[in-house]
Amino acid sequence: MHFTITRARDDDAERLCAIERVAVELFRGHEAWPSYSGMALPVDTVRELISRGLVWVAAVDEGVVGFVCLSPEGTDVIGVAEIDVLPAFGGRGIGAALLEHACTWAREAGYAEVTLGTLADVPWNAPFYAKHGFVVVDKHAPRFAEALARDRENGFPDHLRVFMSRPLVPLAEGDWTVWPAPAKLNLFLRIVGRRDDGYHDLQTVFRLLDWGDEVRLRVRADGVIARPTPVAGVPEDADLTVRAARLLAAETGTPLGAEIAVAKRIPLGGGLGGGSSDAASVLVGLNALWETGLDEDALAAMGARLGADVAVFVRGRSAWAEGVGERLTPMRLPRRWYVVVDPHEHVPTAALFAAPELTRTAPRATISSFVSGDTTENAFEPVVRARHPRVAAALDWLGGFGHARLTGSGGCVFMETRTHEAALGVASRCPGSFTAHVAAGVDPSPLLLARNRIGARDIVS
């Protein structure tokens, strides 16, 4: 039977939880049935994993019929949080394909091991996973203590509960690798002057998120740098990721090349730094894969030549920024969650900088004024409000729940919350004309975690 596997969309969460409720009926009459029937897969958990790009769905003509969720469990270990297929579509290889797809992605992302908890006596549980390279491991090992305690609280039959692990084959030369390209927010943005070179002096705080694009890289031995898939409206020579790779190659003299593919999730023209983040992920990723050995300072300086925001993504930490955004002071920011709303209106940055009504000589802010909450404005917001009605409408809607702000030069807007639940509550009310994402502020960024993970794994020649 023909089916396709794709990454889950933001609006898939409730559908996937419904599939889990149908699939769990297979356990009716089993010793574990009281536990399974008494709890459901939390839709908020699924939404969070979808937002982080860790859920894939299998679809046939009738629609989505199965899914798999992954959840990181450590530096180089990732777990199968849930995998389900509608019983009517069981026995057709869909579950096996979902599992292999997830394990392939985990390997390409640099993980060394995939783990899961399951039942020993059910054919589609432990025996199924054993066919796919999973082996039973000591469930009393410290790393499973929290999961085992949770299982016992939920009444799972302890004598049938097993934990299993599948070691992942090391990456080989020429394999695809996966690199996150996180989005950023500007928690405030001031323009404090104009430079002799025509650029503007800025002050801002960059906050890096756990949500964004995904960059895939594969090393070539022939020195060619290319995109295997064309990008509509973006010639290859103008693509910032291609330019980043070519700059790194030219500066280091490597004879190697690369293929580059980007799965876009960050809206274009949204002020979330998508293009800059993609370029930074190429620099960091290829520096590791090509073994060119540049340190973070050298890569950040190279990134600044490509774009003002690239350096903060290379360094992978939230920061106070000045100049054109290249002078960075790392900041320790409290754990917060963000509702990010995309009003689906592209805002051209050049037109905003040229706007006669833009305030270009604001007084300089201080880190203490930001920390105290006195500095939160964005210099572009009045201009964007006047020129882009959909962005203004998004600001007004989100402002009904708290302090709504523009990020960067727009057009996405955001609101900070203290809890994940509060952010999800606001996002769930988003009008159909907008799209809302929930993301956490993180330090270090997912890119740095991937660099450490993939860099630590030997690549087999």
Side-chain angles (χ1 to χ4, degrees):
M1 117 176 263
H2 177 71
F3 57 89
T4 58
I5 295 177
T6 58
R7 193 164 253 127
R9 302 191 313 250
D10 290 337
D11 59 355
D12 280 332
E14 292 186 2
R15 183 181 301 111
L16 303 189
C17 289
I19 289 174
E20 186 266 347
R21 283 292 86 194
V22 174
V24 82
E25 288 290 327
L26 292 170
F27 291 90
R28 186 177 288 275
H30 185 273
E31 192 175 346
W33 170 247
S35 299
Y36 277 125
S37 62
M39 63 181 201
L41 182 63
V43 67
D44 289 348
T45 298
V46 178
R47 285 197 183 101
E48 179 184 5
L49 294 175
I50 289 174
S51 75
R52 296 167 64 187
L54 295 172
V55 184
W56 293 265
V57 299
V60 299
D61 291 341
E62 295 92 330
V64 174
V65 298
F67 69 98
V68 60
C69 302
L70 294 181
S71 180
E73 296 183 348
T75 304
D76 61 352
V77 178
I78 196 163
V80 177
E82 188 73 31
I83 179 169
D84 287 305
V85 176
L86 287 174
F89 293 87
R92 307 188 194 188
I94 294 174
L98 283 165
L99 182 62
E100 289 301 326
H101 187 93
C103 288
T104 296
W105 179 89
R107 176 177 174 269
E108 293 173 347
Y111 289 97
E113 180 185 4
V114 178
T115 63
L116 54 86
T118 190
L119 292 173
D121 67 331
V122 180
W124 60 89
N125 279 191
F128 165 76
Y129 296 117
K131 293 177 182 178
H132 292 273
F134 285 81
V135 297
V136 175
V137 293
D138 180 10
K139 67 182 179 184
H140 299 293
R143 61 178 173 153
F144 298 121
E146 184 176 342
L148 189 61
R150 185 171 59 248
D151 287 345
R152 287 170 174 165
E153 287 174 7
N154 292 324
F156 277 95
D158 191 73
H159 64 288
L160 294 178
R161 194 62 164 168
V162 295
F163 287 89
M164 304 183 77
S165 169
R166 172 173 161 174
L168 298 176
V169 176
L171 292 164
E173 289 183 3
D175 284 344
W176 282 104
T177 57
V178 172
W179 301 84
K184 59 82 178 171
L185 298 173
N186 296 87
L187 300 188
F188 87 98
L189 194 156
R190 279 189 186 182
I191 302 174
V192 296
R194 201 159 193 170
R195 298 151 53 113
D196 292 339
D197 59 10
Y199 288 96
H200 293 77
D201 271 321
L202 309 175
Q203 289 184 306
T204 190
V205 168
F206 290 115
R207 177 107 225 217
L208 301 182
L209 303 179
D210 66 350
W211 165 80
D213 293 342
E214 182 176 272
V215 174
R216 294 170 60 81
L217 300 172
R218 179 163 64 180
V219 174
R220 296 174 59 130
D222 59 6
V224 173
I225 294 169
R227 301 178 315 196
T229 304
V231 178
V234 183
E236 190 167 278
D237 288 346
D239 190 318
L240 200 59
T241 61
V242 174
R243 290 173 52 204
R246 290 176 178 170
L247 177 60
L248 179 63
E251 291 294 314
T252 60
T254 181
L256 299 173
E259 292 182 353
I260 305 167
V262 180
K264 289 296 296 180
R265 302 173 75 209
I266 302 174
L268 296 175
L272 298 168
S276 295
S277 187
D278 296 342
S281 295
V282 169
L283 290 176
V284 171
L286 288 181
N287 186 55
L289 296 173
W290 285 346
E291 297 182 343
T292 40
L294 297 186
D295 63 17
E296 188 179 283
D297 290 341
L299 286 176
M302 193 176 296
R305 293 163 60 183
L306 295 164
D309 292 351
V310 178
V312 72
F313 292 111
V314 167
R315 296 194 181 279
R317 300 208 176 258
S318 296
W320 175 275
E322 298 190 279
V324 295
E326 85 289 1
R327 298 204 307 271
L328 301 169
T329 302
M331 292 191 72
R332 293 180 62 87
L333 298 173
R335 180 73 163 163
R336 294 290 185 268
W337 284 261
Y338 299 89
V339 183
V340 182
V341 175
D342 177 11
H344 305 293
E345 183 170 13
H346 179 82
V347 176
T349 300
L352 296 185
F353 273 112
E357 68 269 35
L358 180 67
T359 300
R360 296 178 171 83
T361 55
R364 287 190 172 273
T366 63
I367 292 178
S368 61
S369 72
F370 167 75
V371 171
S372 69
D374 293 334
T375 303
T376 60
E377 80 283 0
N378 184 319
F380 292 115
E381 186 172 321
V383 183
V384 172
R385 267 191 175 278
R387 298 185 178 202
H388 297 277
R390 289 184 64 86
V391 181
L395 281 163
D396 290 340
W397 174 79
L398 192 57
F401 299 93
H403 184 194
R405 290 175 267 179
L406 186 75
T407 180
S409 54
C412 289
V413 304
F414 71 96
M415 188 185 81
E416 183 177 287
T417 67
R418 289 183 175 270
T419 68
H420 186 221
E421 292 73 21
L424 288 169
V426 174
S428 68
R429 296 172 173 83
C430 183
S433 54
F434 306 145
T435 299
H437 306 278
V438 171
V442 290
D443 277 304
S445 79
L447 175 60
L448 291 199
L449 297 178
R451 180 196 67 187
N452 295 340
R453 198 167 56 237
I454 295 176
R457 297 204 72 190
D458 291 332
I459 297 180
V460 179
S461 59

